[in-house]
Amino acid sequence: MTSNTALVLAHEDDRGRGRIEAGSLADALRARGLTPLVVHPSDDLPDPATVEAVVVLGSVDSAYDDSLSWLGPERAYLARVVDAGTPTLGVCFGGQILSRVLGGVVERSPHPEVGFVDVTPEGAAASWIDDGPWMQWHFDHFSLPPGARRLAHNDAGLQAFVRGRVVGTQFHPEITADSFAAWRMGWTRESEREVRRDFGIDVDELAARIEGDHAPLAARCARLLDGVLDGRLLKS
């Protein structure tokens, strides 16, 4: 394992699809001299002390579904990551499982969010979490873990937290046209019609917006990653 490795935990059985879903976070890691290693939680994972950063991606599963064979081992591994003090970012499911690891609670959300939704950063977090719309796709939500600090919120509730070197977000900074297309591989046309019915979102139009906004979306993802990697920002 090289010292410039960034471990990316993806939750797709298809490892290739998991690499695609790393989206602009993988690009931002490479731009910072880090090599993304995209793996599934059931793979042979490296010692957390040997990697420079850890990113935990989303999942169609729930972070409280302990019937998942890989969830318990992933939680145990992430506890080791926390103990090692490795800079860590969890997005959506990733933020939720990190909340659990840190003593928080994950449960079904009374306010699910789909599409671009406004998020308000708090305090110094405004220097690396942009105010405004971020991509969302979640039906569960996390609580603020004991000892953690709230970084962002909106009307639906907590949107980001930090404790030590761990940052969890409910939104998806990594979204790209390719990663969204990979998400859609597991959807049916009926499920997309349900999204339009329940949230007023046309999935084709959303895909076009993601593609058209590629540059600003990638830039805000990179700023967020800078905040995670820079311990001074997390302590401010």
Side-chain angles (χ1 to χ4, degrees), residues 177-221:
D178 287 344
S179 66
F180 189 62
W183 289 10
R184 294 182 74 176
M185 288 173 62
W187 301 347
T188 65
R189 294 304 297 179
E190 178 57 32
S191 65
E192 295 192 1
R193 283 193 290 268
E194 289 173 357
V195 166
R196 181 163 192 155
R197 180 195 68 205
D198 296 341
F199 297 95
I201 291 173
D202 182 289
V203 177
D204 290 329
E205 292 177 0
L206 180 59
R209 176 177 178 180
I210 293 168
E211 183 171 14
D213 289 348
H214 170 75
L217 290 174
R220 60 170 38 191
C221 176

Side-chain angles (χ1 to χ4, degrees), residues 77-90:
Y77 180 78
L78 290 174
R80 292 173 57 203
V81 170
V82 172
D83 289 343
T86 306
T88 302
L89 170 63

Side-chain angles (χ1 to χ4, degrees), residues 4-48:
N4 67 337
T5 298
L7 185 70
V8 180
L9 291 175
H11 301 93
E12 298 289 351
D13 291 335
D14 182 336
R15 304 307 195 260
R17 182 173 160 188
R19 285 190 288 273
I20 295 171
E21 291 186 0
S24 55
L25 276 170
D27 297 333
L29 288 166
R30 293 188 193 96
R32 283 146 187 79
L34 299 174
T35 301
L37 174 64
V38 183
V39 298
H40 188 272
S42 64
D43 293 341
D44 185 16
L45 304 180
D47 182 337

